[in-house]
Each structure stands twice: as C-alpha cells, then as structure tokens.
Amino acid sequence: LAGYVSACVFSSALRITQSYNMSIATSQADFHWGAKYLKRRGSLQVVWHTAMVAPLLLACMGPSDGKGAMYAAAVMFVVVAHLAIIRPMLQAFLDRGLVEWYETKHSTDNAETLSALAKYLKSALQRRLYVLGKVSVQGITLPLLLISLVPLNLSLLNRGGEVDVPTGAANLPGQFIWELVASYLLWWGSCNWSVIFLVALYLRRAGVFR
C-alpha cells in the first residue's frame, strides 16, 4: 500500500513542482516581454507558497494517533489548499507553452530553421491542450488520496488519544488495524509528496532540468 501511495503522488508532485516554478518565475524580470499575460497577483503567490508548505507541515506532524481534531484539521487544510491551486496550476502549464513559443521565435535568425521549429512548436502547443485533462487529474491526486483515507481514519481521529475504548472496539481488531494503516498512509503520502517536491524544485532551480 505504501508503494502504491508513493506511485500515486510521484507524477503529481513533479507536475505541481513544474507549475509552481513556472508561476513564481513568470513574476520575475526575465519575462518582462510577456508581463501582460504571465504576471500573477501577489495574493496568488501566497496561495502557491501555502499549498506547497502544507503537506510538509502535515508530514512533520507524523501519524495521527493521539492528535485527534488537530490532525483532522491539518489534513483538511492540505486538501483545501491544493484544491485552491488547481486553476493556477493549469494556467501555469499553459503559460509554459507561451514561454516556449517566445524562446523558439527568438532562438535563431535562420528562416529555414525557424520554419522547422514553428512546425514542431505548433505540434507541441496542441499536445498541451490534449493533455490538459491529465494535468488536472495530477493536480487533484494528493487531495483525493487524503480524502479517500480520512474515512478509514475517522474513528482514530474521533478518539483523539482517549484512554477509554468503546466496548465493541475490543472485538474489532481489524478495524483498529485499518485505522492505524490509514493514519500511516496519510503521513506517508504527505511525506513522499513533500520529498519529491523539494528534490524536484532544487533540481529545477539548479538547472538540471526544466
């Protein structure tokens, strides 16, 4: 199960890292030529930063055993924060196509080379539109994963570390095991997402890949 969770969040973290990096970069002077289309409000930058930090804070809290309502609130905060960046993430993905167009157009003065690049670029821009649905799914992967695990974890959250256990709970060891598994997977998913995001962001800032 842990491996499945890691596989689910891997492509999601990479995609959101790309969009986050793009959204932050377009506010810099390097993209002054497209400021009218690329520059984003300062409030949106705050939303981006908050959404990126939220899973890391959840991971630092560890599994939910004994944390009760506070942990449940943290999980919902991560879900809401990531749902809030779906539209900006898709916009940043499309903005990358505009940047590629500008860089290609000014990459050479040779007419034949520009003609060949134009055909390639047209195809690349069309592919961006074709995969927009896939990108949106990658954007909501982490919120969906957390939401799907919360029901398995509700009883553990509701107990909130209390010593008294309902009489029927002693006869349901399987339920308690599932609650512990869900608690671990919530932590594991947010931890994996955060590590992948941080590593991918570092590699992008270092220029290893774009």
Side-chain angles (χ1 to χ4, degrees):
L1 288 176
Y4 176 76
V5 169
S6 298
C8 285
V9 301
F10 183 77
S11 62
S12 171
L14 291 180
R15 179 65 68 187
I16 292 181
T17 303
Q18 182 185 51
S19 295
Y20 170 74
N21 191 59
M22 182 66 198
S23 181
I24 301 303
T26 51
S27 297
Q28 300 174 358
D30 293 343
F31 296 93
H32 61 86
W33 54 266
K36 179 180 178 180
Y37 306 101
L38 298 174
K39 192 170 183 179
R40 299 290 172 253
R41 302 186 307 273
S43 58
L44 182 58
Q45 304 299 323
V46 173
V47 173
W48 266 113
H49 295 320
T50 302
M52 299 303 99
V53 171
L56 180 60
L57 296 178
L58 183 61
C60 291
M61 292 178 68
S64 65
D65 190 15
K67 298 184 178 68
M70 181 179 68
Y71 195 83
V75 172
M76 293 310 299
F77 179 75
V78 174
V79 171
V80 172
H82 274 251
L83 290 178
I85 62 168
I86 297 301
R87 183 175 179 180
M89 185 198 71
L90 295 176
Q91 185 60 58
F93 176 72
L94 295 175
D95 288 346
R96 183 60 207 169
L98 178 60
V99 173
E100 288 178 353
W101 168 82
Y102 180 84
E103 292 177 345
T104 301
K105 182 179 178 181
H106 294 83
S107 61
T108 180
D109 293 327
N110 187 285
E112 293 183 2
T113 303
L114 280 176
S115 178
L117 289 174
K119 294 179 180 178
Y120 162 77
L121 187 58
K122 181 179 179 180
S123 176
L125 292 176
Q126 287 177 337
R127 285 198 299 272
R128 283 189 174 270
L129 295 177
Y130 296 155
V131 301
L132 204 57
K134 174 185 175 182
V135 174
S136 63
V137 171
Q138 290 174 328
I140 63 175
T141 296
L142 183 63
L144 287 180
L145 178 65
L146 297 181
I147 291 173
S148 67
L149 291 172
V150 165
L152 294 175
N153 202 33
L154 283 178
S155 298
L156 192 63
L157 291 174
N158 289 334
R159 282 200 288 271
E162 296 177 1
V163 177
D164 295 333
V165 179
T167 305
N171 300 322
L172 296 173
Q175 178 184 351
F176 184 69
I177 290 174
W178 273 113
E179 290 168 0
L180 290 179
V181 170
S183 171
Y184 170 75
L185 291 179
L186 280 169
W187 169 79
W188 180 254
S190 58
C191 184
N192 270 253
W193 192 97
S194 299
V195 170
I196 296 169
F197 166 75
L198 292 174
V199 172
L201 183 63
Y202 171 78
L203 293 177
R204 286 185 179 279
R205 295 294 174 86
V208 176
F209 61 87
R210 302 177 63 184

